[in-house]
Amino acid sequence: MHGLVNKALQSFVCNSYGQARWIRITEAAQLGFIEFEAMLVYDDATSHRLLGEICRELGRPPEEVLEDLGTYLVSNPRTEALRRLLRFGGVSYLEFLHSLDDLPDRARLAVSDLSLPALELHEHTQGRFTLTCHPGLPGYAHVMMGVLRAMADDYGALVMLEHEGQSSEGEVIAITLIESAFAEGRSFELGARAG
C-alpha cells in the first residue's frame, strides 16, 4: 500500500482524535513505529492491520471510518492540496462529477507512483448518477463517499449518496444531485497558492 494512504490515516486519527490514541493504535497493530513515510510502500497486511486497530480503538465499523477519512481529506485545512486537485475538476459540482473519470490520472501527475483504482461515472437521468469504483484499493468506495459528500459542501450543492454495494465491475455509489446551488460554497481561486 502506498505510504500516502497510511499517512492519510495517521493524519486523520492524530488531528481528529489525538496523538495518544494514534500511539495506542500503532502499538496494538504491532507496527514497531508510529510515523509513516508518505513516499514509501508498505505491505497490504500492515495497512489492513492498522485499519482494524483504528476501528477497534474508535468503536466504529471500517465503512464509517473510511467515509470520515474521505471527508477529512477534503475539508481539513492541512489537506488543502487535495481539495485544490479536486476543484480543478470544474466550477460546479456537476462538472466535478464528470471529471471523476480522470481523477486517477490527475493523482498520478501529482504522485507518479500512486495508483488509484479507475472511477466510472454514469448519468442515468438528469441529476441521477452512479459512480463505479473499480477494484484495487479496499475501502476506496467508502473514502469516495466522504470525498463526494465534502465536495458537495465545498461547492454548495445538495446531494444524496448511497453505497449500493458490489457490481461485476466494482463498488457502486448512487448520487442524486438535488440542487447545484443549495448554499454558498467555499471560496476557491484557480491561481491561489496552497498555504
Side-chain angles (χ1 to χ4, degrees), residues 123-173:
E123 185 167 3
H124 301 285
T125 61
Q126 185 173 355
R128 301 230 356 120
F129 307 86
T130 53
L131 179 67
T132 302
C133 302
H134 290 260
L137 190 58
Y140 186 55
H142 293 288
V143 174
M144 285 305 299
M145 289 268 295
V147 167
L148 291 168
R149 196 175 313 282
M151 288 304 291
D153 289 344
D154 207 78
Y155 280 103
L158 179 61
V159 299
M160 285 181 18
L161 302 171
E162 185 178 343
H163 189 282
E164 293 194 329
Q166 193 77 27
S167 76
S168 60
E169 296 179 354
E171 290 183 77
V172 178
I173 301 170

Side-chain angles (χ1 to χ4, degrees), residues 1-189:
M1 190 86 52
H2 198 286
L4 273 177
V5 174
N6 294 323
K7 190 71 174 176
L9 283 166
Q10 176 184 334
S11 178
F12 165 66
V13 171
C14 288
N15 291 320
S16 302
Y17 300 100
Q19 181 78 11
R21 287 186 98 172
W22 172 252
I23 291 171
R24 269 199 312 270
I25 289 165
T26 59
E27 288 171 352
Q30 300 177 346
L31 298 181
F33 56 89
I34 61 168
E35 292 284 329
F36 280 97
E37 285 293 328
M39 300 314 288
L40 293 180
V41 175
Y42 297 86
D43 66 71
D44 289 351
T46 298
S47 302
H48 293 300
R49 198 166 62 248
L50 176 66
L51 179 59
E53 289 302 329
I54 291 170
C55 294
R56 190 191 60 69
E57 171 71 24
L58 301 179
R60 300 178 62 210
E63 299 81 15
E64 287 181 14
V65 170
L66 292 171
E67 186 171 336
D68 285 353
L69 171 64
T71 300
Y72 166 83
L73 289 173
V74 172
S75 60
N76 192 287
R78 296 173 190 222
T79 56
E80 181 67 20
L82 178 60
R83 175 185 175 246
R84 292 187 60 72
L85 178 72
L86 294 169
R87 284 297 296 253
F88 279 118
V91 296
S92 71
Y93 191 73
L94 182 61
E95 288 181 12
F96 161 73
L97 288 177
H98 284 288
S99 76
L100 288 173
D101 293 359
D102 300 328
L103 183 60
D105 291 334
R106 280 187 281 145
R108 221 174 350 271
L109 284 174
V111 182
S112 62
D113 61 341
L114 178 62
S115 181
L116 295 178
L119 297 170
E120 199 173 335
L121 184 77
H122 296 283
E123 185 167 3
H124 301 285
T125 61
Q126 185 173 355
R128 301 230 356 120
F129 307 86
T130 53
L131 179 67
T132 302
C133 302
H134 290 260
L137 190 58
Y140 186 55
H142 293 288
V143 174
M144 285 305 299
M145 289 268 295
V147 167
L148 291 168
R149 196 175 313 282
M151 288 304 291
D153 289 344
D154 207 78
Y155 280 103
L158 179 61
V159 299
M160 285 181 18
L161 302 171
E162 185 178 343
H163 189 282
E164 293 194 329
Q166 193 77 27
S167 76
S168 60
E169 296 179 354
E171 290 183 77
V172 178
I173 301 170
I175 306 164
T176 304
L177 177 56
I178 297 169
E179 191 173 333
S180 292
F182 178 73
E184 186 175 339
R186 285 174 60 193
S187 65
F188 178 77
E189 294 179 39

